[in-house]
Amino acid sequence: MPTLYAGPTGNGRKPLILVKLLNAPIDIHFFTWPTKEIKQDWYLNLNPNGTQPTLVDDSKHLKLFESNALLEYIATTYDKEGKYYYKENEPELYWEQKTWLYYQSAQFAAFNLARAIISVNANHVDKFTENEILEGFKIIYEVLENQLKKTNSGWLIGNKFTIVDIAFGAGNHRRLEKLTGTGYEIKDFDALYPNVAKWYNNFLSVDGVEEVLNRKS
Amino acid sequence: MPTLYAGPTGNGRKPLILVKLLNAPIDIHFFTWPTKEIKQDWYLNLNPNGTQPTLVDDSKHLKLFESNALLEYIATTYDKEGKYYYKENEPELYWEQKTWLYYQSAQFAAFNLARAIISVNANHVDKFTENEILEGFKIIYEVLENQLKKTNSGWLIGNKFTIVDIAFGAGNHRRLEKLTGTGYEIKDFDALYPNVAKWYNNFLSVDGVEEVLNRKS
C-alpha cells in the first residue's frame, strides 16, 4: 500500500484531508510536530528536500513531494468520479483549478505564509518583511473574495468543494493557528472579506475536515 | 488566437520559451520591463493577482495565470507528441515532472528567488532574510545536483529536455541576472554544483532559448 508521510502543518494537512474524505487506501505515517524525522537519512531518501508531505508508492516507483502535487495525484488516482476535483473532461474548470493550485502553493503558502511563520518562529522582527507579507496577503484575500462573489457557490472553483478549497482552507487554518496575535495577524478579517469568512466556515463544516485539522499525533 | 501576456522576468520567460520552441499559434503581448500595465484595470480583469504571465483563450473561456500552470497548459495543448514534457502514459515520469514543477514554483521561485529580488530592488538589507535565502538556495541546488547525477542525462527529469528544465533554467537565469554582485550571490557555484553548471549550459544551448532570454522589448 502507498504511504503518506505528513504532519500537522498547513501543507501536511492538505493530503491528509483528501485521503480522509476519500477513505483512500493509503497508510499514514503521521509526524508529531515538530519532528526531526524529516531531516533524517531514511526520509531524505524519499524526499531530498527534507520537507513534508511525501507520498511513496513502491509498486509504481513513485516518490512524490509538494503538497499540491499530492492533491492532484491522490484525486486523479483515488477519485475517479471527480467528487472533489474537476477532471480534464471539463477543461475550463480543470485549468482554472490548476492555476489556483499553483497560486496557492507559490503565492499564498510559500511567498507569504511560510515567510511569516519563519519570522515568527525565530522571533525575528523586520518591518519591511512584515509590510510586504501583509500587503501580499491583502492582495490574495481580495482575489479570493472577488472569486467567491463570482462563483457564488460558496466554493472557490465552479460549484463544488474541490482540492482548491482544501489547499486554501488548510492554508487559512495554518495562518490563523500560527499568526494570530503576531504582527502578521490580519485585523478586521471578517469585515474585510465576508465571503472568505463564510467560505472558511463552509470548509470547516465538511465532514472529516475538523478531525484532521485537530489531529496532533 | 490565444494571447500570452509576458515580460522579461524569470516567470514570464518560461511560457515564452515553450511557445518559441513549439512555434505554438499564440499571440505574444510582450511587456517591456518594468511595466505598469500589469496593475491596470484591463489587465487585472484577465489576472486579478496583477502578476505575469497570463494566457487568455477567449474561444475556450480560459484566463490562466501562474507560469508553471501555463507550461502545463501549453505543453498539453500544443505538444501532443510530448516532445518537451512527459505525458500521462508515462506515469512515473509524469508525476515526477508534476512534483518538480510545484517545487520550482513554490520553493525556488516564490520562497527564495522572489524574496531575494524584492529585498535587492528595495535596497533592503536584513541578515536574517539573507541567510535564510542563501540556505534555501543551497538546499535546492544540492537537490538539483543529486538529481542530475541520478538521471545522468544532462536533464532534470528522465532523459529529455522538458518543461521542468525550462522552469528551473529560466529561474537560474533570473537569479544570475538579478542577484550577481549582491549579498544573495552564491559563491563558487560551479565548483559546488558542477552538474548544475553543466545542465545550465545545456539549457542555454537549446536552439531558441537564448533568443527569448535576451529579448527586451
Side-chain angles (χ1 to χ4, degrees):
Chain A
M1 204 184 288
T3 302
L4 170 63
Y5 300 83
T9 69
N11 290 330
R13 287 166 181 141
K14 295 175 191 172
L16 288 169
I17 289 171
L18 186 58
V19 166
K20 171 85 180 169
L21 296 181
L22 291 169
N23 195 23
I26 296 175
D27 280 331
I28 307 290
H29 178 111
F30 192 87
F31 295 119
T32 304
W33 208 250
T35 181
K36 289 182 175 157
E37 286 187 276
I38 60 171
K39 305 298 178 191
Q40 291 170 352
D41 285 345
W42 69 270
Y43 186 77
L44 292 172
N45 188 39
L46 306 177
N47 175 337
N49 202 37
T51 54
Q52 58 83 31
T54 301
L55 183 78
V56 178
D57 189 339
D58 287 331
S59 73
K60 296 180 185 169
H61 307 286
L62 288 177
K63 294 176 188 174
L64 303 178
F65 54 100
E66 286 296 321
S67 56
N68 290 5
L70 266 55
L71 287 178
E72 285 200 57
Y73 178 76
I74 294 165
T76 303
T77 309
Y78 301 101
D79 183 13
K80 298 285 186 196
E81 293 166 19
K83 187 171 179 191
Y84 300 114
Y85 84 115
Y86 287 103
K87 299 194 291 183
E88 288 182 74
N89 61 2
E90 293 184 82
E92 187 181 334
L93 290 161
Y94 173 82
W95 288 107
E96 190 177 353
Q97 174 180 263
K98 176 91 70 187
T99 282
W100 283 68
L101 286 171
Y102 275 108
Y103 181 45
Q104 196 281 335
S105 169
Q107 299 306 316
F108 185 90
F111 192 61
N112 290 302
L113 183 59
R115 272 205 295 173
I117 290 176
I118 280 179
S119 293
V120 166
N121 283 350
N123 285 315
H124 175 70
V125 176
D126 174 50
K127 280 290 165 194
F128 175 84
T129 300
E130 198 175 289
N131 287 335
E132 280 286 331
I133 290 174
L134 283 170
E135 283 302 305
F137 274 136
K138 189 177 152 189
I139 291 171
I140 292 172
Y141 281 107
E142 282 177 2
V143 168
L144 296 183
E145 179 71 12
N146 289 326
Q147 176 73 3
L148 288 162
K149 282 181 196 158
K150 206 173 74 178
T151 64
N152 197 30
S153 66
W155 303 115
L156 286 167
I157 306 292
N159 59 10
K160 68 183 178 188
F161 170 75
T162 68
I163 53 178
V164 171
D165 298 294
I166 293 176
F168 273 103
N172 191 54
H173 175 271
R174 188 61 168 166
R175 180 183 62 79
L176 292 166
E177 184 176 58
K178 293 295 290 186
L179 305 183
T180 300
T182 76
Y184 295 96
E185 184 174 341
I186 301 171
K187 308 289 183 201
D188 302 319
F189 188 92
D190 288 9
L192 288 168
Y193 313 111
N195 283 283
V196 176
K198 196 175 156 195
W199 158 83
Y200 184 58
N201 280 329
N202 294 345
F203 168 70
L204 294 178
S205 301
V206 173
D207 201 31
V209 165
E210 288 232 65
E211 187 183 323
V212 174
L213 294 176
N214 292 331
R215 180 174 178 182
K216 299 291 182 208
S217 64
Chain B
M1 205 186 285
T3 302
L4 170 64
Y5 300 82
T9 69
N11 290 329
R13 287 167 181 140
K14 293 175 193 172
L16 287 169
I17 289 170
L18 186 58
V19 166
K20 172 83 181 172
L21 295 182
L22 291 169
N23 196 24
I26 296 175
D27 279 333
I28 307 290
H29 179 110
F30 192 87
F31 295 120
T32 305
W33 208 250
T35 182
K36 289 180 176 159
E37 287 187 275
I38 59 172
K39 304 299 178 189
Q40 291 169 354
D41 285 346
W42 69 270
Y43 186 76
L44 292 172
N45 187 40
L46 305 177
N47 175 337
N49 201 38
T51 53
Q52 57 84 31
T54 302
L55 184 79
V56 177
D57 189 339
D58 287 332
S59 74
K60 296 180 186 169
H61 308 285
L62 288 177
K63 294 176 187 174
L64 304 178
F65 53 101
E66 286 295 321
S67 56
N68 290 5
L70 268 55
L71 287 179
E72 284 200 56
Y73 177 76
I74 294 165
T76 304
T77 309
Y78 301 101
D79 184 12
K80 297 287 187 195
E81 293 167 19
K83 186 170 178 191
Y84 300 114
Y85 83 115
Y86 287 102
K87 300 195 291 183
E88 288 182 73
N89 62 3
E90 294 183 82
E92 185 181 336
L93 290 161
Y94 173 82
W95 287 107
E96 189 176 355
Q97 174 180 264
K98 176 91 70 188
T99 282
W100 283 68
L101 287 171
Y102 275 108
Y103 180 45
Q104 197 282 334
S105 170
Q107 299 306 316
F108 184 90
F111 192 62
N112 289 302
L113 183 59
R115 273 205 295 174
I117 290 176
I118 280 180
S119 293
V120 166
N121 283 349
N123 285 315
H124 175 71
V125 176
D126 174 52
K127 281 288 164 195
F128 175 84
T129 300
E130 199 175 289
N131 288 336
E132 281 285 333
I133 292 173
L134 284 170
E135 284 302 306
F137 274 137
K138 188 176 152 188
I139 291 171
I140 293 172
Y141 281 109
E142 282 176 2
V143 168
L144 297 183
E145 179 72 11
N146 288 327
Q147 175 73 4
L148 288 162
K149 281 181 196 159
K150 205 173 75 177
T151 64
N152 197 30
S153 66
W155 304 115
L156 287 167
I157 307 291
N159 59 11
K160 69 183 179 190
F161 171 74
T162 68
I163 53 178
V164 171
D165 299 295
I166 293 176
F168 274 103
N172 191 54
H173 175 269
R174 189 61 167 165
R175 179 183 63 80
L176 292 166
E177 185 176 58
K178 293 294 291 187
L179 305 183
T180 300
T182 75
Y184 297 95
E185 183 175 341
I186 301 170
K187 307 292 182 198
D188 302 320
F189 188 93
D190 290 8
L192 288 168
Y193 313 111
N195 283 283
V196 177
K198 195 174 155 194
W199 157 84
Y200 184 59
N201 279 330
N202 293 346
F203 168 70
L204 294 178
S205 301
V206 173
D207 201 32
V209 165
E210 288 232 65
E211 187 183 325
V212 174
L213 294 176
N214 292 330
R215 183 175 176 182
K216 300 290 181 208
S217 63

